[in-house]
Amino acid sequence: IIMDGNRRWAKERKLSGSLGHKAGVDNLKKLLVHIFDRGIRYVSVYAFSTENFKREQKEVDYLMNLFRTYFRKEFQEIIDRNVKVVFSGRRENIPDSVWDSMKYLEDQTRDGKNGILNICLNYGGQYEILDMTKKVCQLVLENKISIDQIDLSVIEENLYQKIPAVDLMIRTSGEFRISNFMLYQTAYAEYYFPTTYFPDFNDEHFEQALLEYNKRNRRFGGN
């Protein structure tokens, strides 16, 4: 899920952009409970891209503070559902306090068996492919594998997380682009672009996305 439209949601209500981001995070908490309760096992959410650091420092600081607080205090319902939380993205530019909260949440959910929540923070799909390439090159340099042994399984083993390919990619707010999100993993994903801003994207909207997904004919290049 690309959680888009928080700032426009706030602007239409004559609220600050910060309140839009808070509304988005509050909605994510409720939506995740619904998603995991209906048996979906893997969810990746685009929380903050590498490019988002180019925004005004005040907005970036607010988001970092929001992440730090929510990762420590607001994920109890996910913990109670025995869901494992992992993070995808780069360590650089992440404040130590936010990083500590990320590690805290990972530690609290390490043994989760009922699903995986992959939070993409300081994430970019191109950077993930770059970082994967460097890791594979290092394996070759260390003689742990040969060039001839590099195949798709080696690539997938060295991405940020070992999770299945994306089946359904949802981007809220009506934008028709994926903004550098999980480029490798969405090779055969179905795309869904609702016009609803993310703070309003509720359980019913999600169910509508699943209904649309179930109408698709997924051939994976076959007939």
Side-chain angles (χ1 to χ4, degrees):
I1 302 174
I2 300 176
M3 306 178 292
D4 194 28
N6 294 338
R7 292 189 295 179
R8 279 170 285 166
W9 179 91
K11 184 177 180 180
E12 288 185 4
R13 289 159 178 77
K14 295 181 170 55
L15 301 172
S16 68
S18 296
L19 290 178
H21 291 308
K22 184 179 185 303
V25 175
D26 287 339
N27 184 55
L28 176 63
K29 286 172 51 185
K30 294 183 289 185
L31 187 61
L32 287 173
V33 168
H34 174 74
I35 290 172
F36 284 112
D37 279 354
R38 78 181 318 287
I40 291 173
R41 300 276 300 173
Y42 299 94
V43 181
S44 293
V45 295
Y46 207 0
F48 193 90
S49 74
T50 51
E51 291 78 18
N52 287 157
F53 276 110
K54 299 175 183 178
R55 293 182 176 181
E56 290 185 9
Q57 192 61 46
K58 181 180 179 181
E59 181 179 0
V60 172
D61 290 344
Y62 178 85
L63 283 165
M64 291 298 131
N65 288 330
L66 197 63
F67 294 145
R68 182 181 66 244
T69 301
Y70 272 68
F71 294 157
R72 281 197 176 272
K73 299 180 179 180
E74 302 293 338
F75 273 79
Q76 190 58 49
E77 288 180 294
I78 294 299
I79 295 172
D80 291 344
R81 281 162 174 75
N82 201 26
V83 171
K84 181 178 181 178
V85 179
V86 297
F87 288 89
S88 293
R90 289 186 154 191
R91 170 67 178 88
E92 62 188 27
N93 297 322
I94 299 293
D96 290 341
S97 60
V98 178
W99 185 255
D100 290 343
S101 294
M102 293 162 66
K103 303 315 291 181
Y104 168 82
L105 186 55
E106 284 187 327
D107 289 342
Q108 290 292 306
T109 62
R110 188 175 304 280
D111 298 324
K113 298 291 191 296
N114 289 338
I116 291 179
L117 170 60
N118 176 35
I119 301 176
C120 299
L121 198 156
N122 195 20
Y123 174 87
Q126 291 170 324
Y127 280 116
E128 180 172 22
I129 293 170
L130 174 62
D131 292 340
M132 173 275 298
T133 303
K134 290 180 178 179
K135 288 167 67 177
V136 172
C137 287
Q138 190 63 37
L139 292 174
V140 173
L141 289 173
E142 294 173 357
N143 293 316
K144 293 181 178 179
I145 62 171
S146 69
I147 290 178
D148 290 339
Q149 289 176 306
I150 299 173
D151 57 15
L152 293 181
S153 66
V154 171
I155 290 174
E156 290 157 10
E157 284 282 321
N158 287 281
L159 295 170
Y160 290 146
Q161 300 296 337
K162 298 175 185 177
I163 56 178
V166 175
D167 292 311
L168 172 64
M169 197 284 287
I170 301 169
R171 182 183 183 134
T172 59
S173 87
E175 300 290 349
F176 293 90
R177 58 180 180 274
I178 61 172
S179 296
N180 203 15
F181 183 53
M182 302 189 82
L183 299 179
Y184 183 90
Q185 298 91 332
T186 57
Y188 278 98
E190 296 293 327
Y191 293 89
Y192 183 68
F193 298 103
T195 58
T196 309
Y197 297 140
F198 186 73
D200 290 330
F201 189 79
N202 59 25
D203 300 354
E204 292 181 3
H205 292 108
F206 183 78
E207 290 300 317
Q208 185 60 44
L210 294 188
L211 286 173
E212 177 62 31
Y213 170 79
N214 285 326
K215 296 177 184 177
R216 309 282 179 89
N217 182 12
R218 305 189 73 203
R219 294 188 297 274
F220 299 97
N223 293 326

